[in-house]
């Protein structure tokens, strides 16, 4: 299978480091199934689709290979790997990493650090239903602030790495109702952190990622059917 000009929708590069844009667009298309497993990743075709030179495409493919999203064949060609369960895998890893982060934050974070996390959640809740960019920024701030509060630079690095597979990376835009449920989880986690209740904080963050996976799967399934989620 080859990518042709009528293939998956990929956004032409505008203003950002080219290789980052190319990597993000290709990863999103692979994870959403727009570029199916077994598809040959041909640099010339991809560079034409993205209106870039072959160099950033080559670099992006190398990054995808390190993430296990593409496979290099013995003849030197590159094909898309079987990634049907990849997103679920990644969310299980994030669930474990951030479960550890909340436990460490309960033990190591200062009172001002935990108070700031709670204030951020309350402010996000007061703002109501955000646009996609604002929601993404709020979500990133929440998860990485807990990682920093854990006091573990290694854990922070891992959480930052796996956060790259967030909704925005896969091109998922939660409905207002879904966003509200996820924001309510954030507030519950922050409240447990203030109480330094590590068991409750971990329980809630694990429940949160179960909901994230449910939402992601629902949106991907709807996209495959060519329909949009109800804004409920």
């Amino acid at each position: 299978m080859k990518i042709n000009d009528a293939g998956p929708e990929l956004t032409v590069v505008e203003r950002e480091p080219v290789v980052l844009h190319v990597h993000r667009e290709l990863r999103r298309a692979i994870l959403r199934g727009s570029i199916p497993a077994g598809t040959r990743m041909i640099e010339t075709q991809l560079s034409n689709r993205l209106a870039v030179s072959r160099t950033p495409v080559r670099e992006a493919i190398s990054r995808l290979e390190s993430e296990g999203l593409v496979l290099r064949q013995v003849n030197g060609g590159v094909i898309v790997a079987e990634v049907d369960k990849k997103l679920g895998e990644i969310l299980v890893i994030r669930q474990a990493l951030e479960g550890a982060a909340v436990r460490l934050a309960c033990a190591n974070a200062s009172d001002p650090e935990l108070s700031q996390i709670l204030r951020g959640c309350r402010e996000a809740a007061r703002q109501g239903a955000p646009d996609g960019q604002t929601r993404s920024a709020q979500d990133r701030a929440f998860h990485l602030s807990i990682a920093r509060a854990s006091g573990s630079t290694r854990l922070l690095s891992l959480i930052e790495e796996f956060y790259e597979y967030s909704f925005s990376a896969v091109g998922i835009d939660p409905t207002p109702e879904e966003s509200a449920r996820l924001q309510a989880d954030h507030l519950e986690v922050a409240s447990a952190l203030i109480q330094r209740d590590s068991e409750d904080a971990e329980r809630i963050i694990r429940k949160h990622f179960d909901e994230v996976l449910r939402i992601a799967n629902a949106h991907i399934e709807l996209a495959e059917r060519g329909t949009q989620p109800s804004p409920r």
Side-chain angles (χ1 to χ4, degrees):
M1 185 183 295
K2 297 181 180 180
I3 297 172
N4 55 44
D5 289 341
E9 182 178 348
L10 300 173
T11 306
V12 174
V13 175
E14 293 181 357
R15 295 184 301 273
E16 69 175 319
V18 176
V19 69
L20 295 182
H21 176 97
V22 172
H23 174 245
R24 188 187 69 240
E25 288 295 312
L26 293 177
R27 180 174 58 191
R28 177 182 297 176
I30 290 169
L31 287 173
R32 298 208 72 176
S34 302
I35 304 180
T39 301
R40 291 176 60 199
M41 301 291 280
I42 300 174
E43 291 177 11
T44 51
Q45 291 182 356
L46 293 170
S47 63
N48 288 337
R49 291 280 300 162
L50 289 158
V52 299
S53 71
R54 292 175 63 179
T55 300
V57 171
R58 187 177 304 117
E59 292 179 22
I61 288 173
S62 292
R63 294 187 184 197
L64 294 170
E65 184 180 6
S66 71
E67 294 171 342
L69 296 179
V70 300
L71 301 172
R72 195 167 298 277
Q73 299 179 296
V74 291
N75 63 4
V78 177
I79 62 170
V80 175
E82 293 283 351
V83 294
D84 289 350
K85 298 179 181 178
K86 193 73 175 180
L87 186 58
E89 236 174 64
I90 289 161
L91 287 172
V92 168
I93 293 169
R94 284 191 64 193
Q95 189 180 57
L97 291 172
E98 299 201 28
V102 294
R103 282 189 168 274
L104 287 172
C106 285
N108 299 333
S110 67
D111 289 342
E113 282 180 300
L114 299 182
S115 295
Q116 180 59 43
I117 293 170
L118 181 59
R119 279 196 299 274
C121 290
R122 286 174 172 168
E123 178 59 30
R126 278 195 295 270
Q127 291 175 6
D131 58 40
Q133 187 174 359
T134 301
R135 188 207 62 78
S136 180
Q138 290 171 344
D139 186 74
R140 181 180 178 85
F142 171 76
H143 288 281
L144 296 190
S145 65
I146 293 175
R148 282 189 289 271
S150 74
S152 169
T153 55
R154 179 59 176 159
L155 189 55
L156 171 60
S157 176
L158 287 168
I159 289 173
E160 282 184 314
E161 176 184 346
F162 280 95
Y163 189 84
E164 293 305 309
Y165 294 86
S166 63
F167 280 157
S168 59
V170 188
I172 291 171
D173 187 16
T175 65
E177 182 187 68
E178 290 165 344
S179 291
R181 288 203 302 272
L182 296 175
Q183 184 57 53
D185 286 347
H186 287 186
L187 193 55
E188 284 187 54
V189 171
S191 298
L193 289 174
I194 286 288
Q195 299 298 319
R196 298 189 184 272
D197 187 336
S198 59
E199 289 189 8
D200 202 35
E202 183 174 8
R203 177 187 64 79
I204 298 164
I205 203 73
R206 286 183 173 276
K207 179 192 74 170
H208 176 69
F209 280 108
D210 287 341
E211 178 68 3
V212 168
L213 181 58
R214 188 198 66 76
I215 291 170
N217 286 337
H219 279 254
I220 290 171
E221 182 179 350
L222 287 171
E224 289 171 350
R225 294 177 183 173
T227 57
Q228 295 295 321
S230 167
R232 290 193 298 273

